[in-house]
Amino acid sequence: MWNWYPPVGFFIAILALLGVLVPLFRDLTKIGRREKAAWTFVMFLLVGLEFRTLYLDRADHDQKEADARATQLKGFKEIGTGIEAAIQKSQQQFDETMTRIGTTLKTSEETLKNTQPIAALEFQGMSVYAPSLPIAAGHQLEFNVSFTNIGNDTARGYNHETRLYVRRLDDPEAQREIANDFNQWWGMSQHSDSATMRPNYPAFFSSKSLPLKEDEVSGVLNHSLTLYVLIRFTWTDRTGRWASDECFAFQDPTHDLVAGHPCTIFTRHRYKVTQR
């Protein structure tokens, strides 16, 4: 009940009504001090209640406006949330569409790549030319290397080089050393690349090692060293310039020049050549 209040002006109207009625029913000259005090108290009470009504009405009005603004803000927030959700959903649908398009393009690219004619020279095997044996200081070992074009396009302007090294078997540091030496030697050497090779066409070439040094021969014979062979093919097809590297070491060159260990580095198949 304390928060209840009548309309603004209600208590002032009562005060005005009393101001009219009291003189009509009471002789003002006969009103005593106590009655005057009582009417004065009533007047201040009604004025105080009117002031209270004004404050409560203002507070109620402000509260209603705040509630209305809160309702509007809540509505705007819900609208904004709906718009944001719609934007996110549209973005998600767009991303899904782009992902599907990307997947389709990637699949098409892979399909085109797989069906596009390419050449690929691949090492097939190597054997030692018997007359170049035995392994001895000052001798050169001669190798016959077989390879073929396993692709479906002609390999144009292909060339190949082979180098033999004597190092410790399965030694990563030694393999890095000979790989760096081969690459430096390759970059400083002249290569003839006028030959062509049809798909699935077997071929071979012969290569000689540098004269073996006495310490190299001793290491091979006492099984502390072995023979490493590094081979590189380069060629051109419709898709560009390519290369393949092969590296292996003979497990026991004193008894078996067939069984070999693959290198942990240098071996790479059909990689792009950026500079010739």
Side-chain angles (χ1 to χ4, degrees):
M1 293 296 293
W2 176 251
N3 291 325
W4 176 86
Y5 63 92
V8 175
F10 178 79
F11 293 109
I12 294 299
I14 294 177
L15 180 61
L17 181 62
L18 291 177
V20 174
L21 294 179
V22 169
L24 292 177
F25 293 97
R26 296 289 295 162
D27 186 356
L28 298 180
T29 59
K30 296 181 179 181
I31 295 177
R33 294 179 61 185
R34 291 185 176 181
E35 187 175 351
K36 288 181 179 180
W39 287 118
T40 301
F41 172 76
V42 170
M43 181 191 69
F44 281 110
L45 177 63
L46 292 174
V47 172
L49 290 174
E50 184 64 24
F51 278 123
R52 176 178 175 276
T53 298
L54 289 173
Y55 282 110
L56 290 177
D57 183 72
R58 173 58 63 85
D60 181 64
H61 177 267
D62 292 344
Q63 183 62 44
K64 287 180 179 178
E65 285 193 343
D67 292 342
R69 285 195 298 271
T71 302
Q72 289 179 344
L73 290 176
K74 182 179 179 181
F76 290 150
K77 184 176 181 180
E78 291 176 352
I79 293 173
T81 302
I83 294 174
E84 183 178 358
I87 293 174
Q88 290 179 351
K89 186 175 181 180
S90 298
Q91 183 64 41
Q92 181 181 1
Q93 293 175 343
F94 175 77
D95 292 340
E96 291 175 353
T97 301
M98 293 305 296
T99 300
R100 289 195 295 269
I101 293 175
T103 302
T104 301
L105 290 176
K106 185 176 181 180
T107 302
S108 300
E109 183 180 353
E110 290 295 329
T111 302
L112 179 62
K113 182 179 179 181
N114 293 332
T115 57
Q116 189 175 15
I118 62 170
L121 301 189
E122 184 179 80
F123 169 80
Q124 299 293 312
M126 190 179 76
S127 61
V128 178
Y129 184 53
S132 67
L133 295 173
I135 299 175
H139 286 191
Q140 292 178 274
L141 293 178
E142 185 172 355
F143 299 92
N144 294 323
V145 180
S146 59
F147 65 101
T148 189
N149 178 6
I150 63 172
N152 55 1
D153 191 15
T154 299
R156 301 183 302 277
Y158 80 85
N159 60 64
H160 45 72
E161 296 290 355
T162 302
R163 293 208 80 179
L164 181 139
Y165 296 88
V166 181
R167 296 292 189 277
R168 291 184 299 274
L169 179 64
D170 296 335
D171 186 334
E173 184 63 31
Q175 293 180 22
R176 281 190 291 269
E177 176 194 344
I178 62 177
N180 291 334
D181 181 81
F182 185 94
N183 288 325
Q184 292 178 5
W185 168 78
W186 175 273
M188 295 184 296
S189 301
Q190 296 294 327
H191 310 288
S192 174
D193 54 5
S194 59
T196 60
M197 187 175 185
R198 301 191 303 273
N200 301 315
Y201 184 80
F204 78 96
F205 64 90
S206 298
S207 177
K208 286 185 178 182
S209 71
L210 295 174
L212 297 175
K213 299 177 182 178
E214 186 173 348
D215 59 336
E216 294 176 337
V217 174
S218 298
V220 172
L221 295 179
N222 65 25
H223 302 286
S224 62
L225 301 176
T226 191
L227 302 178
Y228 281 91
V229 178
L230 276 65
I231 306 171
R232 173 168 292 168
F233 299 96
T234 58
W235 70 93
T236 300
D237 61 14
R238 302 180 190 183
T239 61
R241 188 72 178 171
W242 302 90
S244 285
D245 295 338
E246 194 75 34
C247 173
F248 61 91
F250 290 104
Q251 183 173 350
D252 184 5
T254 59
H255 296 92
D256 188 355
L257 285 172
V258 176
H261 279 200
C263 298
T264 57
I265 59 174
F266 191 79
T267 300
R268 298 172 63 190
H269 295 152
R270 199 175 189 275
Y271 61 91
K272 194 77 171 179
V273 176
T274 55
Q275 294 181 352
R276 293 186 56 184

